[in-house]
Amino acid sequence: MNRTTIGAVSAVLVAVLIGGVVLLSGGNDAAAETDGAFLTEMTPHHEGAIEMARIAEERAQHPEIRNLASDIIAAQEAEIAQIDSIHQRLFDEPVTAVDHGTLGLDDQMMGMAMDTGTLGTAKPFDRAFIDMMIPHHQGAIQMARVELTSGADQETKGLAADIIEAQSSEIEAMNRWR
């Protein structure tokens, strides 16, 4: 190879590398926004589960459902605190202070298209609770999968993996009880 060819090849390689860096930095912005969207959308999602679980603590006939409700409240309150901490670390603001857009899932896909107020009078309660909580948990799993696929922050991805594991286990238990 002569110097002209080496120079041309070098220039092409530098251009490709610069283009790759630009693409990767843009991808990191998108991944950071996925992290933010996951955190901001998971907060009200967990609050909805806690609301349903508080009703179940009062109305459930079976001890398994009351125990599950207590477990959901404890786990998801702890996860909300973790979400707040992660968001503060990543964005230097409370989770409620920033609009990161959405994960691209509608309310139905996130398991949030139901009226949780109907649990107050539902009969038989345990069946109604299970029938509402399973799709709610499935929605959280869908949200967590988006984070695992498109997010960047390792702690946020770890939270998403924990949500998938815990809520999949709870869905299996509820299906058995049903």
Side-chain angles (χ1 to χ4, degrees):
M1 276 191 175
N2 64 31
R3 287 184 182 194
T4 305
T5 304
I6 292 171
V9 169
S10 296
V12 169
L13 288 174
V14 167
V16 168
L17 286 172
I18 289 171
V21 167
V22 168
L23 284 175
L24 287 175
S25 66
N28 287 341
D29 289 344
E33 285 304 304
T34 297
D35 293 333
F38 174 74
L39 297 169
T40 57
E41 289 193 329
M42 190 55 74
T43 299
H45 193 276
H46 274 10
E47 290 168 348
I50 290 168
E51 177 185 337
M52 288 188 283
R54 289 197 194 288
I55 296 168
E57 282 186 317
E58 298 294 320
R59 296 206 57 226
Q61 292 89 22
H62 295 89
E64 297 89 351
I65 301 297
R66 284 191 301 277
N67 290 337
L68 173 63
S70 294
D71 291 347
I72 287 171
I73 292 167
Q76 295 194 15
E77 283 178 343
E79 287 173 355
I80 288 172
Q82 183 181 6
I83 286 168
D84 288 338
S85 172
I86 293 169
H87 194 277
Q88 190 68 40
R89 175 180 55 80
L90 291 176
F91 302 102
D92 201 30
E93 294 188 76
V95 71
T96 56
V98 182
D99 179 8
H100 297 282
T102 71
L103 293 172
L105 304 173
D106 63 23
D107 284 349
Q108 184 75 31
M109 295 167 77
M110 291 190 295
M112 295 181 67
M114 72 268 304
D115 178 6
T116 59
T118 61
L119 281 178
T121 58
K123 292 181 183 178
F125 177 83
D126 290 4
R127 178 65 185 244
F129 176 77
I130 287 170
D131 289 348
M132 197 173 284
M133 190 56 78
I134 288 175
H136 191 80
H137 274 14
Q138 289 168 334
I141 291 169
Q142 290 283 31
M143 295 166 70
R145 285 185 178 142
V146 171
E147 171 60 27
L148 287 177
T149 301
S150 303
D153 181 66
Q154 290 307 305
E155 185 180 3
T156 307
K157 287 178 168 249
L159 173 63
D162 291 346
I163 288 170
I164 290 170
E165 182 180 335
Q167 295 196 15
S168 294
S169 176
E170 290 173 356
I171 288 170
E172 288 175 23
M174 287 186 281
N175 278 323
R176 281 192 312 272
W177 298 332
R178 178 189 280 151

